[in-house]
Amino acid sequence: MARTRTLQPDEAQLFQETLRDAKPLHGKKRKAAAPAAPTKASKAKASSAEAHPARKQPTLPPRTAPLAPLAPGPTPGVDRRTHDRFKKGEMVIDAKLDLHGMTQDAAHDALLRFVERGANAGYRCILVVTGKGLREGSGVLRTMVPRWLNEASLRPYLLAINRARPQHGGDGALYVLLKRKR
């Protein structure tokens, strides 16, 4: 026979906080949970917490896990055929952003606006031209743009990034695959 137990007050409160942002399924109403009556164990736990104020309450992990950083190469969530077309530069490029001659601050702002506008417009593949820098591998924007694309403000819009083919700028440009607008 399975044992049933009642929720402790702190468990019930945590459950209610978790459900606060939840939306009920179509045609269903959310039922309000009745608060659990205090038990001897919960009273003892509360008095123990008051007696030991130096003990810290555990912190809860964030509600959503952070997205994995993007790097050139195969990406989870992108089927093989799409990835191959994307990597080979065979996808239609919906828009292009050229960052040549911009300062880091101006380039960062332009990239933020460009990706957000592209995602809202329903673009699928965009091209970001950074330039190669004066010496091979020394371009500041070439180094910083992949980092900026992985920031929390832009990462939710993106599925994959990859170095561009020579006809689109080679090592001085990136293909960016955006998530479909649903």
Side-chain angles (χ1 to χ4, degrees), residues 12 15-16 19-20 22-25 27-35:
F15 183 72
Q16 289 301 319
L19 286 181
R20 183 178 58 231
K23 293 181 180 148
L25 295 174
K28 305 253 179 169
K29 301 249 182 203
R30 188 182 329 175
K31 295 178 184 176

PDB file of all heavy atoms in Angstrom, residues 12 15-16 19-20 22-25 27-35:
ATOM      1  N   ALA A  12       4.443  23.597   0.307  1.00  0.00           N
ATOM      2  CA  ALA A  12       3.233  24.108  -0.329  1.00  0.00           C
ATOM      3  C   ALA A  12       3.457  25.513  -0.873  1.00  0.00           C
ATOM      4  O   ALA A  12       3.009  25.845  -1.977  1.00  0.00           O
ATOM      5  CB  ALA A  12       2.079  24.113   0.677  1.00  0.00           C
ATOM      6  N   PHE A  15       5.556  25.263  -3.985  1.00  0.00           N
ATOM      7  CA  PHE A  15       4.721  24.756  -5.069  1.00  0.00           C
ATOM      8  C   PHE A  15       3.850  25.874  -5.649  1.00  0.00           C
ATOM      9  O   PHE A  15       3.735  26.021  -6.859  1.00  0.00           O
ATOM     10  CB  PHE A  15       3.869  23.595  -4.560  1.00  0.00           C
ATOM     11  CG  PHE A  15       3.018  22.961  -5.626  1.00  0.00           C
ATOM     12  CD1 PHE A  15       3.597  22.178  -6.622  1.00  0.00           C
ATOM     13  CD2 PHE A  15       1.657  23.148  -5.656  1.00  0.00           C
ATOM     14  CE1 PHE A  15       2.827  21.598  -7.608  1.00  0.00           C
ATOM     15  CE2 PHE A  15       0.875  22.572  -6.635  1.00  0.00           C
ATOM     16  CZ  PHE A  15       1.465  21.793  -7.615  1.00  0.00           C
ATOM     17  N   GLN A  16       3.255  26.672  -4.784  1.00  0.00           N
ATOM     18  CA  GLN A  16       2.420  27.781  -5.240  1.00  0.00           C
ATOM     19  C   GLN A  16       3.238  28.809  -6.009  1.00  0.00           C
ATOM     20  O   GLN A  16       2.790  29.346  -7.019  1.00  0.00           O
ATOM     21  CB  GLN A  16       1.701  28.457  -4.055  1.00  0.00           C
ATOM     22  CG  GLN A  16       0.598  27.609  -3.457  1.00  0.00           C
ATOM     23  CD  GLN A  16      -0.474  27.251  -4.470  1.00  0.00           C
ATOM     24  OE1 GLN A  16      -0.876  28.066  -5.279  1.00  0.00           O
ATOM     25  NE2 GLN A  16      -0.922  25.999  -4.432  1.00  0.00           N
ATOM     26  N   LEU A  19       3.859  27.478  -9.464  1.00  0.00           N
ATOM     27  CA  LEU A  19       2.672  27.512 -10.308  1.00  0.00           C
ATOM     28  C   LEU A  19       2.214  28.917 -10.669  1.00  0.00           C
ATOM     29  O   LEU A  19       1.361  29.079 -11.540  1.00  0.00           O
ATOM     30  CB  LEU A  19       1.510  26.793  -9.614  1.00  0.00           C
ATOM     31  CG  LEU A  19       1.592  25.280  -9.574  1.00  0.00           C
ATOM     32  CD1 LEU A  19       0.374  24.730  -8.874  1.00  0.00           C
ATOM     33  CD2 LEU A  19       1.710  24.700 -10.958  1.00  0.00           C
ATOM     34  N   ARG A  20       2.775  29.924 -10.012  1.00  0.00           N
ATOM     35  CA  ARG A  20       2.321  31.293 -10.227  1.00  0.00           C
ATOM     36  C   ARG A  20       2.362  31.683 -11.705  1.00  0.00           C
ATOM     37  O   ARG A  20       1.452  32.317 -12.212  1.00  0.00           O
ATOM     38  CB  ARG A  20       3.182  32.258  -9.405  1.00  0.00           C
ATOM     39  CG  ARG A  20       2.732  33.704  -9.500  1.00  0.00           C
ATOM     40  CD  ARG A  20       3.561  34.628  -8.656  1.00  0.00           C
ATOM     41  NE  ARG A  20       4.966  34.533  -9.049  1.00  0.00           N
ATOM     42  CZ  ARG A  20       5.968  34.316  -8.188  1.00  0.00           C
ATOM     43  NH1 ARG A  20       5.735  34.191  -6.921  1.00  0.00           N
ATOM     44  NH2 ARG A  20       7.213  34.242  -8.615  1.00  0.00           N
ATOM     45  N   ALA A  22       2.471  29.492 -14.275  1.00  0.00           N
ATOM     46  CA  ALA A  22       1.934  28.440 -15.132  1.00  0.00           C
ATOM     47  C   ALA A  22       0.566  28.846 -15.668  1.00  0.00           C
ATOM     48  O   ALA A  22      -0.212  29.510 -14.991  1.00  0.00           O
ATOM     49  CB  ALA A  22       1.820  27.137 -14.346  1.00  0.00           C
ATOM     50  N   LYS A  23       0.330  28.447 -16.895  1.00  0.00           N
ATOM     51  CA  LYS A  23      -0.958  28.737 -17.518  1.00  0.00           C
ATOM     52  C   LYS A  23      -1.731  27.430 -17.627  1.00  0.00           C
ATOM     53  O   LYS A  23      -1.176  26.416 -18.045  1.00  0.00           O
ATOM     54  CB  LYS A  23      -0.750  29.340 -18.909  1.00  0.00           C
ATOM     55  CG  LYS A  23      -0.115  30.693 -18.846  1.00  0.00           C
ATOM     56  CD  LYS A  23       0.067  31.278 -20.218  1.00  0.00           C
ATOM     57  CE  LYS A  23       0.710  32.639 -20.059  1.00  0.00           C
ATOM     58  NZ  LYS A  23       1.567  32.976 -21.141  1.00  0.00           N
ATOM     59  N   PRO A  24      -3.024  27.429 -17.287  1.00  0.00           N
ATOM     60  CA  PRO A  24      -3.806  26.189 -17.373  1.00  0.00           C
ATOM     61  C   PRO A  24      -3.998  25.770 -18.821  1.00  0.00           C
ATOM     62  O   PRO A  24      -3.946  26.589 -19.734  1.00  0.00           O
ATOM     63  CB  PRO A  24      -5.133  26.554 -16.709  1.00  0.00           C
ATOM     64  CG  PRO A  24      -5.183  28.037 -16.682  1.00  0.00           C
ATOM     65  CD  PRO A  24      -3.781  28.541 -16.769  1.00  0.00           C
ATOM     66  N   LEU A  25      -4.218  24.465 -19.019  1.00  0.00           N
ATOM     67  CA  LEU A  25      -4.487  23.943 -20.349  1.00  0.00           C
ATOM     68  C   LEU A  25      -5.807  24.502 -20.841  1.00  0.00           C
ATOM     69  O   LEU A  25      -6.640  24.964 -20.053  1.00  0.00           O
ATOM     70  CB  LEU A  25      -4.546  22.415 -20.314  1.00  0.00           C
ATOM     71  CG  LEU A  25      -3.238  21.715 -19.963  1.00  0.00           C
ATOM     72  CD1 LEU A  25      -3.470  20.221 -19.811  1.00  0.00           C
ATOM     73  CD2 LEU A  25      -2.196  21.974 -21.034  1.00  0.00           C
ATOM     74  N   GLY A  27      -9.408  25.174 -21.628  1.00  0.00           N
ATOM     75  CA  GLY A  27     -10.654  24.711 -21.053  1.00  0.00           C
ATOM     76  C   GLY A  27     -10.560  24.235 -19.616  1.00  0.00           C
ATOM     77  O   GLY A  27     -11.518  23.725 -19.069  1.00  0.00           O
ATOM     78  N   LYS A  28      -9.398  24.338 -18.992  1.00  0.00           N
ATOM     79  CA  LYS A  28      -9.237  23.881 -17.611  1.00  0.00           C
ATOM     80  C   LYS A  28      -9.025  25.089 -16.716  1.00  0.00           C
ATOM     81  O   LYS A  28      -8.432  26.077 -17.113  1.00  0.00           O
ATOM     82  CB  LYS A  28      -8.019  22.960 -17.487  1.00  0.00           C
ATOM     83  CG  LYS A  28      -8.040  21.790 -18.433  1.00  0.00           C
ATOM     84  CD  LYS A  28      -8.336  20.550 -17.711  1.00  0.00           C
ATOM     85  CE  LYS A  28      -8.365  19.405 -18.710  1.00  0.00           C
ATOM     86  NZ  LYS A  28      -8.392  18.154 -18.132  1.00  0.00           N
ATOM     87  N   LYS A  29      -9.486  24.989 -15.518  1.00  0.00           N
ATOM     88  CA  LYS A  29      -9.284  26.047 -14.524  1.00  0.00           C
ATOM     89  C   LYS A  29      -8.287  25.550 -13.492  1.00  0.00           C
ATOM     90  O   LYS A  29      -8.267  24.368 -13.145  1.00  0.00           O
ATOM     91  CB  LYS A  29     -10.607  26.387 -13.829  1.00  0.00           C
ATOM     92  CG  LYS A  29     -11.685  26.846 -14.770  1.00  0.00           C
ATOM     93  CD  LYS A  29     -11.962  28.270 -14.554  1.00  0.00           C
ATOM     94  CE  LYS A  29     -13.099  28.689 -15.487  1.00  0.00           C
ATOM     95  NZ  LYS A  29     -13.101  30.045 -15.747  1.00  0.00           N
ATOM     96  N   ARG A  30      -7.484  26.458 -12.988  1.00  0.00           N
ATOM     97  CA  ARG A  30      -6.509  26.099 -11.968  1.00  0.00           C
ATOM     98  C   ARG A  30      -7.217  26.001 -10.624  1.00  0.00           C
ATOM     99  O   ARG A  30      -7.997  26.854 -10.240  1.00  0.00           O
ATOM    100  CB  ARG A  30      -5.401  27.150 -11.881  1.00  0.00           C
ATOM    101  CG  ARG A  30      -4.299  26.702 -10.972  1.00  0.00           C
ATOM    102  CD  ARG A  30      -3.200  27.677 -10.776  1.00  0.00           C
ATOM    103  NE  ARG A  30      -2.933  28.529 -11.905  1.00  0.00           N
ATOM    104  CZ  ARG A  30      -2.064  29.504 -11.888  1.00  0.00           C
ATOM    105  NH1 ARG A  30      -1.380  29.759 -10.811  1.00  0.00           N
ATOM    106  NH2 ARG A  30      -1.873  30.262 -12.936  1.00  0.00           N
ATOM    107  N   LYS A  31      -6.915  24.935  -9.903  1.00  0.00           N
ATOM    108  CA  LYS A  31      -7.493  24.754  -8.575  1.00  0.00           C
ATOM    109  C   LYS A  31      -6.538  25.347  -7.555  1.00  0.00           C
ATOM    110  O   LYS A  31      -5.333  25.142  -7.621  1.00  0.00           O
ATOM    111  CB  LYS A  31      -7.690  23.273  -8.271  1.00  0.00           C
ATOM    112  CG  LYS A  31      -8.692  22.609  -9.178  1.00  0.00           C
ATOM    113  CD  LYS A  31      -8.796  21.145  -8.857  1.00  0.00           C
ATOM    114  CE  LYS A  31      -9.734  20.443  -9.819  1.00  0.00           C
ATOM    115  NZ  LYS A  31      -9.779  19.008  -9.568  1.00  0.00           N
ATOM    116  N   ALA A  32      -7.088  26.072  -6.622  1.00  0.00           N
ATOM    117  CA  ALA A  32      -6.261  26.636  -5.558  1.00  0.00           C
ATOM    118  C   ALA A  32      -6.015  25.558  -4.516  1.00  0.00           C
ATOM    119  O   ALA A  32      -6.937  24.894  -4.045  1.00  0.00           O
ATOM    120  CB  ALA A  32      -6.961  27.832  -4.922  1.00  0.00           C
ATOM    121  N   ALA A  33      -4.764  25.363  -4.153  1.00  0.00           N
ATOM    122  CA  ALA A  33      -4.415  24.364  -3.144  1.00  0.00           C
ATOM    123  C   ALA A  33      -4.661  24.939  -1.759  1.00  0.00           C
ATOM    124  O   ALA A  33      -4.341  26.092  -1.473  1.00  0.00           O
ATOM    125  CB  ALA A  33      -2.956  23.959  -3.293  1.00  0.00           C
ATOM    126  N   ALA A  34      -5.230  24.119  -0.926  1.00  0.00           N
ATOM    127  CA  ALA A  34      -5.473  24.555   0.456  1.00  0.00           C
ATOM    128  C   ALA A  34      -4.162  24.476   1.218  1.00  0.00           C
ATOM    129  O   ALA A  34      -3.396  23.529   1.052  1.00  0.00           O
ATOM    130  CB  ALA A  34      -6.514  23.653   1.100  1.00  0.00           C
ATOM    131  N   PRO A  35      -3.869  25.470   2.052  1.00  0.00           N
ATOM    132  CA  PRO A  35      -2.633  25.410   2.800  1.00  0.00           C
ATOM    133  C   PRO A  35      -2.645  24.239   3.769  1.00  0.00           C
ATOM    134  O   PRO A  35      -3.680  23.919   4.360  1.00  0.00           O
ATOM    135  CB  PRO A  35      -2.583  26.754   3.551  1.00  0.00           C
ATOM    136  CG  PRO A  35      -3.974  27.293   3.493  1.00  0.00           C
ATOM    137  CD  PRO A  35      -4.645  26.665   2.331  1.00  0.00           C
TER     138      PRO A  35
END
